[in-house]
């Protein structure tokens, strides 16, 4: 069903994608737009997480792996052991926003050091109030929210802010569901959390992002600051990994990925991410061309 | 002296008229038997005498039924009080899933009797029902462990314990063997010293043996709807009904039985 | 009246007069075998559960001592500085279960008594299927209702309770509401199957409806009612989506019902959504918690069977 | 024998008029009835609020697109078609796996197993226990079993149907047993006394009489399975499916999972979509229950 | 000529011996009545005559019961075949939830009879059971629509349809009113031309009216265990049993009834 509309080149077959739930909406958006062109191709997008995705990818079960961080060495080794060759593509940019309730009127900017002080494993049970971060802040109880331990976002944030993946105080409220985090932060007077910029944009009435000072002054999270790299360290690229053999042997996979890069800005907009810079697009196209 | 009177009583189930135009008196300290073929409305009439029919959806009564001269269907009469004063024993023994003792004590408790000693009250009720000797060693055991006949006597004891004035019995022996039946019949005769008893039975000999008066009912087609409805054919001294009935239908029924 | 020629005398039935079996009935034997095998398959399933849970659990317990698991009070399996004390999960489960039951048992039994003893049969015929349909509302829907309406709107905006984003109370209450239909429906069945003769016997003694209900019908149906409550407990202990959404995800010992907490099922759901590799410690953790959950429900069930045996009435 | 002092001769006891202390309209009785009313009303009120709010929230998207379109990144164009088909397919296969097995096992346990044999009692106890096991445990079991068998793709219809089958199998067995038990023993004896074999008695008398019970119970069990998300999430059911599921080995998504996913999206429009999909799911449940009621009314026998 | 013989039969439920040491012959084309107080094992003995007791968990029989000279408990005997040849009618009418026609046709179908015309067979069975005229216009209607007495005759018709040689009846009239009872008694007397009938009854008049021979049972304490167990007290021509019994206990039971 659903097929039989205007046929592009009449391709069919399956494109199997798995991996990060952060990146999944992007690949879904791509698949969505792609269906208008090639209705015969079935694109499936599962969300086993970045690591789970790589596991399947390196076992040859999937064509595409969505990832919110680069592949790790041991994961690459698993691919190599199974003779899977792959190519990394950057498909969009994302900003990790540091978020407070919309009603918060005392924080406008936090430095990376302050963030580290708030979130570090050593602060567990010790840093409990905003005025411990900066005496100018009121003596309001800190209520911390963040993604669950299984997400790429968690890995990324802990690495950038606390210097080690997974290193974080455990007395914050985790949830895999970003809407739940929005609910939580907006409802706590001293709420603070971090998650993808898109959820801030969509919930502007409830929460707002604060500026982050990565050493070169306060920078607001925005499309421009993420694209030009000034929103450090919390701006990050999103990846898809493609199985080289799939790309060269399955015309539907090739067609899908070419389309993905071609239409990246439209796709990013749909999924509420930040599009690629012209430079990034050129790199991606070159990578794909080299695969033939 | 009549304790209960029925004047021109009709009983309906929804639109269906199960009993039509019954007028009769029930005398104190007598046993009155209701006999007649199946479906002629004996149970229906009996249940309307203590407002047990209130529990059946759609059942209602027209005409007048009085108890000690008071209309029991008057608006300010509490059906609960009627049922306490006019007890009932059913066809199938229906002890509660409780101990023998609790089966008897239940009634006095719920109606708020405050006997000086519940144990005495239980003993007396069981004694009157001729059951005490058989169960006195197992009062705390479940009533379900008793035989059918014992269960039925327990149900009678339970009824006596709340001190009713009238006891209605709907085929109380039909589930019992002859020996158990005999004991219950003896019990009825003994109880009528203190109570008024109205009994429905299919067993003609039983009526002949125990009843002072007997009423014969049958089912006839209703004049208007054509549905069969129960009517009172003849009501008289038991000996008269059995030896020399006035109505041919009574004669047929009784002799058919003895044929 | 036709003549009775074909009927004839019984001795002329034309069949052999002996009594031994006329045919071996192989077909019947095959059917019996199929039925028997089907019944045994259920045992196979239990065996499979035990094996499937035992293997990863054994691996888990080689790395985490059983006592540390059972009595440790810090649950942080995925953090850099990991710890595997399951007590936080157990306390959260206990809270949500107790709260759910304190909602579901009174309301469920109240509804059941009303339906069985007071409602007009026609009303019952309508309400009972409606209840059963309500029992089928997907728990995902309940979960968001608990979070956005009960916790956020009611608790925090209207009642201004000192609670944060999540609470075991909101999850527990909504879970209780979810279980009401289950408890009501099964206890209603139990009470309806108490013979009418019991009610008549009680009424004939001058008991009113309330007395009859509470002193005769209710005790007589007790075994069925206990079974209903126990089923409610198992549903509460095993319910996943509501707690995963509304109870919070922070694994810590829950001290009061306005706190958040991660239940056993909440942990499993979340961890399974992530990327646990088969054979990794995280994966084994899932099964260790699953095994604990399984054993807990078994214990609850055994207790209930013992109760039901004790209280069963045969009419 | 004691004199009957406390019972004695029954004297006339006054009028039956007026309210007895323990009467039907005593304050206690009325309070009790009010409490009962309140519990039913509150339970219903809560549940109806839930449904009505969902309905109001979802109504803007309660249109045919919801039924015909595939999930999409643009909320305005997204629909739940594959989820609806996936739910129906998974439930159909669940029924196919579990009904014959559950009914056969129920028949064996109720009609033919010798309860004196300890192993038959073990099976019985085991079924009771299985019925109380949380759904998520069956999800883990299926995941573990498939991993052990080396199955890589666990997000296929067959795996989902297997998890749900395990979940409702004990319920079907119990329902079958209860329905068979409800058939009066006289029917069974009457048939056997005519020279029918036990199996003839089973197939021609007992089973036809238990159809309403088995059908109603099974449909209720299946509708519970229809609303389950947890075990399927554990098996990694897909969330974005741009095709119709077409068999046991096909990838799939189901309505509860689609709803879970949509509620997790940032855009408000997806939340509306999720509410609308919840209504669709409720409609499916309603349809299944309607079937159950029809079957019950058509086949119900009065003894 | 005796069709069924019992020699020294004991029937057990598990360890409990419900019937002890019964030896008696049942003659062809006669009606034999079994009477005695409740619990003396009448039903138990009756059910062991056509192996219906096999269906009760833990029930077993010692001693020998023969049918046409064959031991019905021999290992190679098929209980199903025994039950077909020795039919049974129960205390409570138990029609199947099917049409009247299907109730009758069921038996012949399941035992694999291939009558030239099923319609004829149904008509004949109903005619023999004196029910044809009452139901011939509603053969396709549910059997539950019939009155209790009609249902019981339907059950007899159903039994006749599979052409048994013996019909066992366990209190077939106890759920019926006197008129329905009379019709069934007439039917029994008519059927004994072709069948051997064994009937359990609590109704002494019934035994006196229909039975050729009567056996009186009672329950006595077992010598070894002290449990009460059923024994055959006296077995003789019905007139003898009722007018001049040899055993005092028989006399007591019978006269107690008539007391
Ligand atoms: N609850 C009821 N609802 C509707 N009709 C009823 C109800 N109870 C009895 N009837 C009908 O009322 C009529 C009289 O029934 P009732 O039970 O009073 O007869 P009965 O004389 O007691 O018969 P039996 O001797 O068989 O007990 C019958 O036609 C019966 O079908
Ligand atoms: N299925 C059974 N299991 C165990 N004991 C039984 C069973 N059926 C009957 N008994 C016992 O066997 C004895 C004889 O019972 P049976 O039913 O044969 O008596 P009966 O003479 O037919 O009595 P009634 O006149 O009441 O029908 C009784 O003590 C009874 O409790
Ligand atoms: Mg009656
Ligand atoms: Mg008997």
């Amino acid at each position: 069903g659903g097929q039989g509309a205007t046929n592009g080149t009449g391709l069919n077959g399956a494109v199997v994608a798995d991996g990060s739930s952060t990146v999944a909406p992007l690949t879904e958006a791509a698949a969505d737009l792609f269906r208008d062109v090639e209705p015969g191709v079935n694109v499936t997008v599962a969300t086993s997480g970045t690591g789970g995705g790589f596991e399947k990818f390196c076992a040859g079960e999937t064509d595409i792996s969505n990832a919110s961080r680069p592949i790790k060495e041991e994961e690459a080794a698993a691919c190599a052991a199974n003779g899977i060759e792959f190519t990394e593509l950057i498909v969009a940019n994302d900003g990790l926003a540091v978020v407070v309730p919309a009603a918060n009127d005392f924080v406008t900017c936090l430095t990376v050091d302050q963030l580290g002080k708030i979130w570090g494993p050593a602060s567990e049970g010790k840093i409990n109030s905003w005025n411990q971060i900066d005496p100018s802040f009121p003596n309001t109880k800190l209520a911390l929210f963040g993604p669950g331990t299984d997400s790429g976002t968690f890995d990324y944030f802990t690495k950038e802010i606390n210097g080690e993946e997974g290193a974080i105080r455990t007395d914050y409220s985790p949830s895999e569901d970003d809407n739940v985090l929005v609910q939580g932060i907006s409802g706590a007077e001293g709420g603070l959390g971090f998650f993808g910029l898109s959820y801030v944009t969509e919930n502007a009435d409830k929460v707002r992002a604060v500026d982050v000072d990565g050493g070169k002054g306060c920078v607001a999270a925005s499309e421009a600051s993420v694209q030009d790299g000034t929103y450090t360290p919390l701006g990050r690229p999103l990846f898809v990994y493609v199985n080289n053999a799939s790309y060269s042997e399955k015309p539907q996979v090739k067609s899908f990925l070419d389309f993905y890069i071609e239409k990246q800005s439209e796709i990013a907009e749909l999924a509420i991410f930040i599009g690629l810079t012209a430079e990034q697009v050129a790199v991606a196209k070159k990578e794909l061309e080299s695969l033939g | 002296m009549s304790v209960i009177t029925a004047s021109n009583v009709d009983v309906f189930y929804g639109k269906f008229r199960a009993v039509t135009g019954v007028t009769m008196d029930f005398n104190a300290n007598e046993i009155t038997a209701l006999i007649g073929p199946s479906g002629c409305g004996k149970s229906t009439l009996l249940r309307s005498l203590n407002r047990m029919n209130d529990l059946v959806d759609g059942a209602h009564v027209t005409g007048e039924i009085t108890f000690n001269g008071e209309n029991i269907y008057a608006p300010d009469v509490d059906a609960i009080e009627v049922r306490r004063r006019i007890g009932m024993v059913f066809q199938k023994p229906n002890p509660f899933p409780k101990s023998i003792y609790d089966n008897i004590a239940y009634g006095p408790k719920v109606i708020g009797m405050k006997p000086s000693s519940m144990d005495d009250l239980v003993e007396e009720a069981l004694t009157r029902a001729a059951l005490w000797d058989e169960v006195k060693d197992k009062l705390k055991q479940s009533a379900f462990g008793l035989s059918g006949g014992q269960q039925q006597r327990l149900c009678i004891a339970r009824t006596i314990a709340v001190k009713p004035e009238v006891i209605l019995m709907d085929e109380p022996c039909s589930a019992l063997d002859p020996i158990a039946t005999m004991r219950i019949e003896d019990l009825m005769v003994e109880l009528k010293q203190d109570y008024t008893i109205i009994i429905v039975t299919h067993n003609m000999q039983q009526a002949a043996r125990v009843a002072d008066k007997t009423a014969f009912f049958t089912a006839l087609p209703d004049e208007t709807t054509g549905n069969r409805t129960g009517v009172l054919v003849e009501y008289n001294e038991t000996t008269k009904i059995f030896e020399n009935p006035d109505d041919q239908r009574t004669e047929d029924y009784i002799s058919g039985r003895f044929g | 009246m036709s003549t009775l020629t074909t009927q004839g005398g019984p001795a002329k039935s034309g069949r052999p007069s002996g009594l031994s079996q006329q045919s071996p009935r192989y077909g019947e034997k095959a059917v019996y075998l199929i039925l028997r095998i089907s019944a045994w398959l259920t045992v196979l399933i239990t065996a499979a559960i035990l094996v499937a849970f035992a293997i990863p659990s054994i691996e888990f317990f080689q790395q985490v001592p059983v006592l540390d698991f059972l009595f440790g009070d810090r649950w942080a399996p995925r953090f850099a500085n990991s710890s595997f004390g399951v007590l936080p999960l157990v306390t959260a489960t206990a809270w949500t279960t107790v709260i759910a039951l304190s909602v579901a048992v009174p309301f469920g039994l109240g509804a059941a008594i009303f339906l069985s003893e007071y409602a007009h049969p026609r009303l019952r015929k309508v309400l009972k299927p409606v209840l059963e349909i309500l029992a089928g509302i997907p728990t995902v829907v309940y979960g968001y209702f608990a979070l956005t309406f009960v916790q956020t709107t009611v608790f925090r905006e209207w009642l201004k309770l000192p609670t944060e984003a999540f609470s075991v109370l909101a999850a527990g209450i909504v879970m209780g509401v979810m279980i009401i239909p289950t408890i009501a429906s099964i206890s209603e069945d139990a009470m309806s199957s108490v013979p009418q003769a019991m009610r008549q016997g009680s009424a004939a003694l001058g008991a009113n409806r309330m007395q009859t209900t509470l002193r005769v019908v209710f005790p007589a149906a007790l075994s069925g009612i206990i079974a209903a409550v126990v089923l409610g407990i198992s549903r509460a202990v095993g319910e996943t989506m509501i707690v995963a959404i509304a109870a919070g995800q922070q694994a810590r010992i829950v001290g009061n019902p306005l706190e958040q907490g991660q239940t056993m099922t909440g942990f499993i759901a979340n961890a399974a959504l992530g990327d646990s590799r088969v054979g990794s410690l995280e994966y084994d953790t899932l099964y260790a918690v699953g095994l604990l959950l399984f054993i807990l429900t078994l214990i609850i069930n055994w207790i209930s069977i013992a109760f039901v045996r004790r209280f069963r009435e045969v009419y | 024998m004691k004199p009957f002092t406390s019972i004695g001769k029954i004297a006339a006891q006054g009028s039956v008029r007026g309210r007895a202390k323990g009467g039907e309209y005593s304050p206690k009785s009325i309070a009790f009835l009010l409490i009962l009313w309140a519990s039913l009303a509150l339970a219903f009120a809560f549940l109806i609020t839930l449904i009505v709010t969902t309905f109001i929230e979802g109504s803007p998207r309660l249109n045919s697109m919801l039924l015909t379109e595939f999930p999409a990144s643009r909320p305005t164009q997204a629909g739940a078609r594959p989820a609806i088909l996936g739910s129906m397919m998974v439930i159909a296969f669940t029924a196919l796996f579990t009904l014959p097995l559950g009914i056969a096992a129920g028949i064996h346990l109720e009609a033919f197993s010798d309860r004196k044999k300890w192993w038959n009692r073990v099976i019985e106890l085991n079924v009771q226990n299985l019925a109380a096991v949380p759904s998520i445990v069956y999800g883990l079991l299926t995941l573990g079993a498939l991993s052990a068998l080396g199955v890589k793709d666990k997000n296929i219809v067959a795996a989902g149907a297997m998890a749900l089958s395990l979940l409702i199998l004990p319920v079907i067995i119990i329902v079958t047993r209860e329905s068979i038990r409800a058939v009066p023993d006289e029917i069974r004896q009457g048939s056997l006394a005519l020279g029918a074999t036990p199996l003839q008695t089973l197939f021609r008398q007992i089973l036809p009489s238990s159809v309403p019970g088995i059908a109603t119970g099974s449909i209720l069990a299946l509708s519970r399975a229809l609303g389950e998300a947890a075990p399927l999430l554990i098996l990694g059911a897909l969330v974005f499916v741009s095709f119709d599921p077409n068999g046991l080995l096909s990838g799939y998504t189901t309505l509860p999972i689609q709803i879970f996913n949509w509620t997790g999206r940032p855009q408000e429009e997806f939340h509306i979509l999720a509410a609308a999909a919840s209504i669709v799911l409720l409609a499916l449940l309603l349809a299944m229950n309607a079937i159950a009621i029809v079957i019950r009314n058509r086949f119900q026998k009065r003894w």
Side-chain angles (χ1 to χ4, degrees), chain B residues 70 76 78 84-85 124 163, chain D residues 6 13-18 20:
Chain B
E70 284 180 282
D76 62 340
D78 191 346
R84 190 188 72 64
R85 305 272 288 276
E124 287 164 21
K163 303 189 187 166
Chain D
S6 70
Q13 297 172 20
S15 169
V16 291
R17 280 171 198 271

Side-chain angles (χ1 to χ4, degrees), chain A residues 15-19 27 43-47 62-66 256, chain D residues 238:
Chain A
V15 177
V16 181
D18 199 342
T27 305
V43 182
T44 65
V45 184
T47 51
T62 55
D63 301 313
I64 293 171
S65 207
N66 298 321
F256 177 65
Chain D
L238 293 168

Side-chain angles (χ1 to χ4, degrees), chain C residues 129 132-137, chain D residues 91-92 94-96 98-99 103 164 167-169 171-176 179 210-228 281-299:
Chain C
E132 276 159 5
I133 292 169
L134 292 177
I137 296 177
Chain D
I91 288 302
T94 302
L96 201 69
T98 190
L99 286 182
I103 293 174
L164 295 182
L167 173 66
I168 65 170
L169 182 66
V171 182
I172 305 267
I173 294 176
I174 290 171
V175 162
T176 304
S179 308
S210 21
V211 163
I214 296 177
T216 323
S218 304
I219 288 176
L220 284 176
L222 285 170
S223 52
R224 176 171 168 217
L226 185 67
E228 275 291 348
L281 184 51
L282 280 177
L284 278 182
L285 288 174
L286 218 68
M288 287 175 68
N289 280 278
I291 295 172
I293 291 169
V294 168
I295 292 177
R296 178 151 53 183
N297 292 346
R298 263 204 67 169
F299 289 90

Side-chain angles (χ1 to χ4, degrees), chain A residues 47-52 55 141 145 149-150 154 164 166-168 170-177 180 183-184 187-188, chain C residues 74 76 78-81 144 147-148 152 156 163-166 245 248-250 252 260 270-271 273-278:
Chain A
T47 51
S48 305
T50 301
E55 192 189 334
K141 193 170 165 265
F145 297 85
T149 52
D150 288 307
F154 173 83
E164 187 197 344
I168 193 167
T170 60
D171 57 351
Y172 77 101
S173 303
S175 175
E176 300 291 353
D177 183 336
V180 164
Q183 288 278 353
Chain C
R74 185 165 171 271
R78 326 265 314 213
F79 293 98
N81 157 22
Y144 282 98
L147 180 66
T148 57
T152 308
R156 289 175 39 194
T163 178
E164 288 167 8
F166 317 98
I245 294 167
Q249 309 270 314
Q250 195 180 56
R252 62 176 183 199
Q260 62 167 310
N270 254 288
L273 287 180
D275 54 349
S276 309
R277 261 147 287 184
V278 176

